[in-house]
Amino acid sequence: MRTLGLVSGLGVGAGIFYYKALVDAHLARGASARLLLVHADARYVMSLAAARNTTELAEYLTGLLKQLARGGAEIAAIPAFSPQVCMKELASITPLPLISLLDAIAAEVERRRYHRVSLFGARVTMETHMFGALQNTVVILPRPEELDTVADIYVRVVQEAQISKEDFERLRVIAHSLLERERLDAIILAGTDLALVFNPTNTDFPHLDGARVHLQAIMRAIAPSPEESTDGARG
């Protein structure tokens, strides 16, 4: 089992969600989690991401990853979408291997054979089509007024770690409208804090939950099941 370093604070609710989900996943395997957390300044990261200041953002995240490495982390994950805007720059300077949020989602989209999708999340994530990670999939943007609504609601979810009934219904209505109007295969929940909003019991539209897909990829990387270990040895 490898020691995981988690860059948290980029949406406190998402950080708590990841922490609990990882602990629960380890317990389900009869194991004890080996986790280190470092807290990032969400406002600073969001401002750099919005400005597309990828060099400074990568340098800031590298500083946090170095703290995790000094603490004993062997591998790391960044459970947030906005920082992914600098992944190209970060990849060349990170002191730890990263379990990619974008790669995990892109692989799952391919596995499910989605051809047309839309995204819910932060403005930068939607406007960049999830930072160009979905190369073989058509990404349909919501209409401008829909995009504004989704982006504004997402900011509130990040800040408050919860959602009002009114905002939940707004997102639900936009999702159904997009799916029908654009003949989409699914809505990708491309905001880790949306895991606090939508779950398998309350989501009545086709979707892919980016946070939960990322968590599965993290567990495969740090604590593969016996079956996965055997497959890896055979490969």
Side-chain angles (χ1 to χ4, degrees):
M1 180 156 326
R2 306 167 82 182
T3 300
L4 173 70
L6 205 61
V7 178
S8 62
L10 300 167
V12 173
I16 294 171
F17 174 80
Y18 266 70
Y19 175 71
K20 185 179 186 306
L22 287 167
V23 170
D24 288 346
H26 280 81
L27 289 174
R29 298 187 181 192
S32 179
R34 296 169 58 180
L35 300 175
L36 295 171
L37 279 72
V38 64
H39 185 80
D41 184 333
R43 290 173 295 183
Y44 182 59
V45 169
M46 293 290 280
S47 67
L48 291 177
R52 312 294 200 271
N53 190 341
T54 55
T55 299
E56 188 172 342
L57 180 54
E59 291 171 352
Y60 174 72
L61 293 173
T62 296
L64 298 176
L65 292 167
K66 286 179 178 178
Q67 292 181 43
L68 292 170
R70 288 195 295 268
E74 302 167 84
I75 194 168
I78 302 175
F81 278 84
S82 292
Q84 307 300 318
V85 72
C86 74
M87 283 303 105
K88 182 178 179 181
E89 291 82 357
L90 183 60
S92 64
I93 59 176
T94 176
L96 291 170
L98 297 174
I99 306 166
S100 170
L101 171 61
L102 301 183
D103 288 351
I105 294 171
E108 184 63 13
V109 167
E110 289 287 333
R111 189 188 72 81
R112 297 189 188 187
R113 297 181 179 180
Y114 288 161
H115 300 291
R116 290 171 63 85
V117 301
S118 191
L119 308 171
F120 279 7
R123 182 177 297 276
V124 64
T125 306
M126 293 187 287
E127 290 181 342
T128 61
H129 292 193
M130 212 176 84
F131 313 103
L134 303 175
Q135 292 292 323
N136 300 317
T137 306
V138 177
V139 179
I140 305 297
L141 279 178
R143 290 172 176 168
E145 65 276 11
E146 294 172 331
L147 191 147
D148 289 342
T149 297
V150 173
D152 290 346
I153 290 174
Y154 189 68
V155 169
R156 289 196 288 274
V157 171
V158 171
Q159 292 173 342
E160 301 170 12
Q162 61 182 352
I163 192 169
S164 68
K165 291 181 180 179
E166 294 78 12
D167 279 348
F168 179 87
E169 187 60 22
R170 289 187 186 100
L171 291 181
R172 181 180 166 277
V173 168
I174 292 173
H176 280 282
S177 178
L178 273 167
L179 284 158
E180 181 177 355
R181 185 179 73 234
E182 304 294 348
R183 299 182 180 181
L184 304 178
D185 295 308
I187 302 292
I188 296 179
L189 303 180
T192 50
D193 286 82
L194 290 176
L196 306 172
V197 174
F198 295 107
N199 61 62
T201 64
N202 72 356
T203 310
D204 64 351
F205 54 86
H207 69 285
L208 186 158
D209 188 325
R212 288 179 169 87
V213 168
H214 191 210
L215 282 161
Q216 292 167 1
I218 291 171
M219 286 304 298
R220 287 195 297 270
I222 65 175
S225 66
E227 294 82 2
E228 290 166 340
S229 297
T230 301
D231 290 344
R234 289 172 180 169

